[in-house]
Amino acid sequence: MAKPILISGIQPSGKLHLGNYLGALKHFVELQNSGKYRCFFFIADLHSLTEPYTPKEKVAQITDLMRSFLAAGLSPIKSVLFMQSAIPAHSELAWILNTLTPMGELRRMTQFKEKSGVSAESASVGLFDYPVLMAADVLLYDAGVVPVGDDQDQHLELTRTLARKFNARFGKTFVEPKSLHTAVPRLMSLDDPTKKMSKSRPAGCLFLDDSPAEIRTKLGRATTDSGKEVKYDEKHKPGISNLLLIHSSLSGASVSALEKRYARKGYADFKRNVAEVVVKALTPYQAKKKKVSLSSAKSAFTKGDKAAGAIAEKKTVEVKKKVGLL
Ligand code: LTN
């Protein structure tokens, strides 16, 4: 039997951090290497235009993410790696799906509400329409499986609704995809463990490209809690709990094994050890990234653009015929 088709994308919007790696890239590599799926992974550059940027920054973010895909272990041989904007069918199908999407559905999207904030009237139409472009990304490839964080569930639900609606009106054309979640640790900021780890708090954020010295400094300064026991307790010890989570997700040791291991040691010792675990985990990625030249990354994506483009083009012709444009 043919393998199920799997697709996911990442927006190029700033430096990747440990949370992005554990939440997406690492997971993509495992899915690719499982051999269970026909995998498509892409850079959602069109989506990323819905947040503020300069053209110069954008070029840098895109090329950096291309190299990161390869450095993390995504392979142009095992997977189809492509650039969203290289394939016009994404924008084209998004337009056709737009005509089937009620405004009310998009207005209800939690991510739109959060990102547009208090000024929904001045938010761009692109931000509003983000989920429809995402639906096009998935539906073009007949993907059945979409690995995403649970913050994207509502968008996947809309994707299924649009697939069903299109199929009901024009005949069976699209597959209804399911989201695939795996346990993703919720990493908190090192300098304020009550906030999510994010690039907007750089002092508390471990970036994948941070040097060993930077990693050691950030962990040395990480907020710990009162007391001196290394114990997982999110409520009373958010700082130590976060460090336990980081250690555990990178070393593979369970949190309870780590509590035992560090039972007789102080916070300082523990923090130094967490820093070494992070350095060790990031070293192969960083070494590989140094070796991935921009031109080799570009040729990997060019190959994928061709493969994905052919599939997407074929689907677009089918869609246009169904709706009466061809
Ligand atoms: N919205 C996603 C990125 C994304 C995506 C997709 C994921 C854009 N298109 C299609 C899966 C399938 C995000 O921000 N995580």
Side-chain angles (χ1 to χ4, degrees), residues 7-11 42 44 47 84 111 130 133-134 137-138 146-149 151-152 155-156:
I7 193 164
S8 195
I10 300 183
Q11 291 191 60
F42 68 97
H47 276 111
Q84 186 185 36
Q111 187 170 297
Y130 182 111
L133 178 59
M134 184 163 159
D137 297 338
V138 173
V146 185
V148 280
D151 61 329
Q152 299 297 311
H155 296 164
L156 253 298

Side-chain angles (χ1 to χ4, degrees), residues 24-25 49 53 78 153 170 175 186 192 230 272 285 289 325:
L25 265 181
L49 303 185
Y53 67 95
K78 295 182 185 165
D153 276 355
F170 303 107
V175 171
R186 220 173 101 80
D192 180 352
V230 176
R272 267 194 297 277
Y285 166 85
K289 192 160 172 187
L325 293 177

Side-chain angles (χ1 to χ4, degrees), residues 193-209:
T194 62
K195 305 217 163 64
K196 219 174 132 181
M197 184 180 283
S198 134
K199 60 179 188 277
S200 61
R201 303 183 61 87
C205 186
L206 294 166
F207 294 102
L208 299 190
D209 292 328

